[in-house]
């Protein structure tokens, strides 16, 4: 069974950049849906970006389009989230999740995903 580990979070000033990594072990991420979600205290978990690893079909939430980029490295069995032009409202715990790809583009709905990582904190100060 696949296990996910996120890394790369931290504290940055507004306008800065971070790259999050979602490393998989136990199984390959090939031909799967992988998505990034975020959750701030008191808020629901929000889908940020998804990728179908079969041919890198991506999907983004409107709030991050043009600023965030999701990508994959098949050799490293890892999915990345490059976050540029960060804003204070991007502050949250970021999670990656994966499941079998039964629909493409991959959904940005949390209940759709079965396997989750433990999360990595991103804090953006103004």
């Amino acid at each position: 069974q696949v296990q996910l580990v996120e890394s790369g979070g931290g504290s940055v000033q507004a306008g800065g950049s971070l790259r999050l990594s979602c490393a998989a072990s136990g199984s390959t991420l090939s031909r799967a849906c992988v998505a990034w979600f975020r959750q701030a205290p008191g808020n629901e978990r929000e889908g940020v970006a998804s990728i179908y690893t079969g041919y890198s079909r991506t999907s983004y939430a409107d709030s991050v389009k043009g600023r965030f980029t999701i990508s994959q490295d098949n050799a490293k069995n890892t999915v990345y989230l490059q976050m540029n032009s960060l804003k204070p409202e991007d502050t949250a715990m970021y999670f990656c999740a994966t499941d079998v790809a039964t629909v493409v583009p991959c959904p940005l709905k949390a209940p759709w995903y079965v396997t989750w990582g433990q999360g990595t904190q991103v804090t953006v100060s103004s």
Side-chain angles (χ1 to χ4, degrees):
Q1 184 163 343
V2 65
Q3 295 179 329
L4 304 176
V5 177
E6 302 96 332
S7 62
S11 297
V12 296
Q13 290 191 330
S17 298
L18 285 172
R19 188 178 79 157
L20 306 184
S21 298
C22 174
S25 62
S27 181
T28 179
L29 289 178
S30 64
R31 297 188 177 87
C33 279
V34 182
W36 284 96
F37 292 82
R38 65 187 181 186
Q39 188 168 20
N43 291 355
E44 293 186 355
R45 195 162 292 192
E46 172 193 17
V48 173
S50 69
I51 187 168
Y52 170 58
T53 59
Y55 50 81
S56 298
R57 174 65 161 91
T58 59
S59 181
Y60 296 92
D62 288 343
S63 58
V64 305
K65 280 181 181 176
R67 300 190 298 123
F68 290 11
T69 303
I70 189 171
S71 63
Q72 64 188 90
D73 185 331
N74 293 336
K76 295 183 178 180
N77 211 25
T78 298
V79 168
Y80 302 98
L81 185 68
Q82 178 67 44
M83 305 186 296
N84 299 328
S85 302
L86 282 162
K87 304 175 181 180
E89 51 263 44
D90 294 319
T91 295
M93 184 73 78
Y94 282 71
F95 301 87
C96 66
T98 188
D99 204 341
V100 175
T102 58
V103 60
V104 179
C106 299
L108 291 175
K109 302 294 185 182
W112 199 85
Y113 292 85
V114 173
T115 301
W116 292 79
Q118 83 291 345
T120 186
Q121 177 68 38
V122 171
T123 303
V124 184
S125 58
S126 57

